[in-house]
Amino acid sequence: MGENKEYMTHPEELGCIHISEDVLASIAAGAAAEVEGISGLMNLAAKKSNARGVRLSVDDEEGAVIDLYVMIRYGYAIPEVAEKIQNAVSGAIESMTGFAVKAVNVHVGGVSFQ
C-alpha cells in the first residue's frame, strides 16, 4: 500500500477535502461498538491511531484497510458477529466520508463472559 499519511484526500470540483485518519478510526470504532455480540475493542499500543482497537492503512486510490481488534460476548457466533462488524464499519466509512473501503479485517482477541 501507499505510505502512511495523517489525512485521506478527496478531490472535489472546488478543492480538496482532507479527513484525518483519526476521524476514520473513530467512525470505525463507533460502528463496530454498535454491533450486537461485541463486548468491546481491545487496547492496542498503536502510535498511529488514537481510537482504541483500530489500525488503519490508507491509500487514496485503492481505499482503506481497517483492522479491528475485538472481544466477542460468550454465546454469540463469532463468524456472524465478525461479518456484521465488517458490514457496519465499511458502510459507515463509505457513507460518512465517501472513501472506498478495500478491506475490514476483524481480529478476535478473546471472549467476554459479561
Side-chain angles (χ1 to χ4, degrees), residues 8-74:
M8 284 189 75
T9 303
H10 187 38
E12 292 289 326
E13 187 176 308
L14 299 174
C16 291
I17 298 172
H18 304 284
I19 300 177
S20 168
E21 289 181 10
D22 288 339
V23 171
L24 297 174
S26 294
I27 292 169
E34 292 180 9
V35 173
E36 185 176 353
I38 189 171
S39 177
L41 296 170
M42 298 178 67
N43 194 9
L44 299 176
K47 297 176 185 176
K48 189 72 179 160
S49 173
N50 290 333
R52 222 176 126 199
V54 180
R55 287 196 180 153
L56 291 169
S57 175
V58 296
D59 184 326
D60 290 337
E61 296 171 9
E62 292 186 31
V65 175
I66 302 161
D67 288 286
L68 292 155
Y69 297 83
V70 301
M71 298 284 291
I72 302 292
R73 286 191 183 135
Y74 179 79

Side-chain angles (χ1 to χ4, degrees), residues 60-105:
D60 290 337
E61 296 171 9
E62 292 186 31
V65 175
I66 302 161
D67 288 286
L68 292 155
Y69 297 83
V70 301
M71 298 284 291
I72 302 292
R73 286 191 183 135
Y74 179 79
Y76 286 86
I78 293 173
E80 290 175 14
V81 175
E83 184 178 0
K84 289 178 184 177
I85 292 168
Q86 289 174 321
N87 292 332
V89 170
S90 65
I93 295 286
E94 289 175 357
S95 68
M96 292 181 75
T97 67
F99 290 117
V101 175
K102 184 176 179 182
V104 177
N105 302 312

